[in-house]
Structures are given as structure tokens and as C-alpha cells.
Amino acid sequence: MKKVFAINGGQIFGHSAGKFNKTLLELDKEFFADENGFELQTTDINEPYVLSEEVEKYVWADVIIYHFPVWWFGMPNGLKKYIDEVFTAGHRKGMYYSDGRKAENPEVGYGTGGRLSGKYYMGTTTWNAPESAFLLPGEFFDQTSVDDGVLFGFHKMNAFLSLERINGVHFHDLEKNVTQERIDAYTKKYQKHLKNIFLPQSLITTTR
């Protein structure tokens, strides 16, 4: 798992500067360094990108890492636009061939046309919502986890490419109740997560 492609989806918009997502990308650059035996390519959705080059990054990578805030219970519009454009450009260019169905039996096989099998993805998300909103009875998310609820479509999007999921990290309460102590703790949490998942490089925990 030496080739890593990390995407900063922390969009600059309105009152949001995407600072912590940018911090996560900088931590990737430190961790996935040449001297640690990795190759790293990155994309920041706030900067111009070339679709054919982004497709090549997906095809090149062993692992794709997404960093993004959750806006209104989904991806920011800039990241969604990036995905729409890059995935469309990746059709029959190494990302996926079709939706997987065959003409002789179109009722089955949907979602099996991906071309990135043997590769992995990991997502981190940042939230204004506190973690307790997902855990406590009677709170807003009805005790449904981030991955089983809000990110269900995100995970299926990557499964459509035949990518396997590496367990990610979710960072809560980063707007209304943010403190420097919280940011420092989350930074250490992410660094520990990278070490646990990617070192030694042969050890990776995935979730289908």
C-alpha cells in the first residue's frame, strides 16, 4: 500500500475556511513521505484541476483518502462537483467500465462494473454536530452511526468503483464548540490512526 492519493474536500465557502481538513492533508504529507516508503499525490478541490489527471490519480493509487466536512448531511458542493466530473471522465478509462449489468439479465449485477478492485479508500469527515448526537437515545441521528447513515451513499459510491473500505475517522464539534485543545487532540488521533492502519504497510483493516 505504497501509493496514496489524498483529496482535500474542505471547501472554502461562506463562513467555512476548511481549516481542519487542510490540516489533515498536511498530516498526510508528513506521514506518507518518501522516507517512510510511500508515494503521495494530492488534490485540493479549491484549486484548478485537470479531469484526465484526476482519473489517472485514481487509477494509480493503492489507497484514496477523502477529507471533507459534512454540509447539510452530504458532501460539500465543490467535492460533489469534483466527483461528478472525475467519475464521469473515468468511464472506461480505468475507474469503471459500466454499471455491471448484462443485457441478458439486467435485473441483477448492478454496481459490479468497477475497475479498481484490489484498491482501497478511506474517508474522514468533520462536523459541527457533537458525537453525542449520534450515540444518545432521543438525539437527532437516532443512534445511527455516521457510516451507516449520512455516509451510506458515499460508501456505495466508492464500492461502485470496486474499492474496498478502510475504516475512517470522524471529527465532531468543530464549529460551535471548537477549542484548540480539541484540535490538538484530533490531530493526535488522526496521526495514531494512520500509524495503526498503514504501519506496518502490510496491515490494513477494511470494511466491506
Side-chain angles (χ1 to χ4, degrees):
M1 302 299 163
K2 292 186 177 181
K3 296 183 290 186
V4 179
F5 172 37
I7 302 168
N8 175 19
Q11 186 175 347
I12 300 171
F13 177 82
H15 65 277
S16 176
K19 291 181 179 179
F20 192 68
N21 288 279
K22 187 173 182 179
T23 295
L24 294 173
L25 189 68
E26 293 304 313
L27 293 174
D28 288 341
K29 292 177 181 178
E30 294 176 9
F31 183 84
F32 297 112
D34 293 343
E35 56 266 30
N36 292 333
F38 295 96
E39 298 175 66
L40 177 68
Q41 294 193 61
T42 66
T43 289
D44 186 326
I45 64 159
N46 299 286
E47 300 173 356
Y49 50 83
V50 178
L51 293 180
S52 60
E53 294 177 359
E54 299 307 301
V55 171
E56 289 174 2
K57 291 176 184 177
Y58 268 87
V59 175
W60 166 85
D62 296 317
V63 181
I64 295 97
I65 299 177
Y66 302 86
H67 301 300
F68 62 98
V70 173
W71 289 4
W72 293 109
F73 317 112
M75 290 184 285
N77 60 74
L79 179 58
K80 182 61 167 63
K81 179 175 182 287
Y82 172 89
I83 293 296
D84 288 343
E85 293 180 339
V86 173
F87 280 37
T88 299
H91 182 215
R92 300 191 178 183
K93 298 289 177 59
M95 290 178 67
Y96 65 99
Y97 184 79
S98 68
D99 71 8
R101 294 179 293 169
K102 306 298 182 184
E104 59 270 20
N105 191 3
E107 297 302 317
V108 299
Y110 180 82
T112 60
R115 289 293 182 265
L116 298 183
S117 60
K119 299 172 182 287
Y120 302 84
Y121 77 97
M122 184 179 81
T124 76
T125 61
T126 53
W127 292 78
N128 171 51
E131 188 174 15
S132 57
F134 298 85
L135 300 176
L136 298 180
E139 286 298 303
F140 186 77
F141 291 98
D142 300 317
Q143 294 180 282
T144 303
S145 71
V146 173
D147 291 293
D148 291 338
V150 172
L151 290 194
F152 179 82
F154 168 79
H155 291 310
K156 287 300 180 184
M157 175 192 85
N158 285 283
F160 192 89
L161 303 180
S162 295
L163 292 167
E164 294 187 58
R165 173 180 150 197
I166 297 172
N167 292 324
V169 191
H170 307 301
F171 304 98
H172 297 278
D173 227 346
L174 276 170
E175 185 176 338
K176 188 173 184 178
N177 198 33
V178 65
T179 63
Q180 187 60 51
E181 290 76 15
R182 185 182 299 276
I183 292 173
D184 292 343
Y186 281 166
T187 297
K188 292 178 181 177
K189 180 179 180 178
Y190 184 61
Q191 290 171 321
K192 181 179 180 180
H193 182 75
L194 291 178
K195 291 177 181 178
N196 289 341
I197 295 294
F198 294 100
L199 295 179
Q201 291 183 31
S202 60
L203 296 179
I204 269 196
T205 302
T206 64
T207 303
R208 287 186 178 275

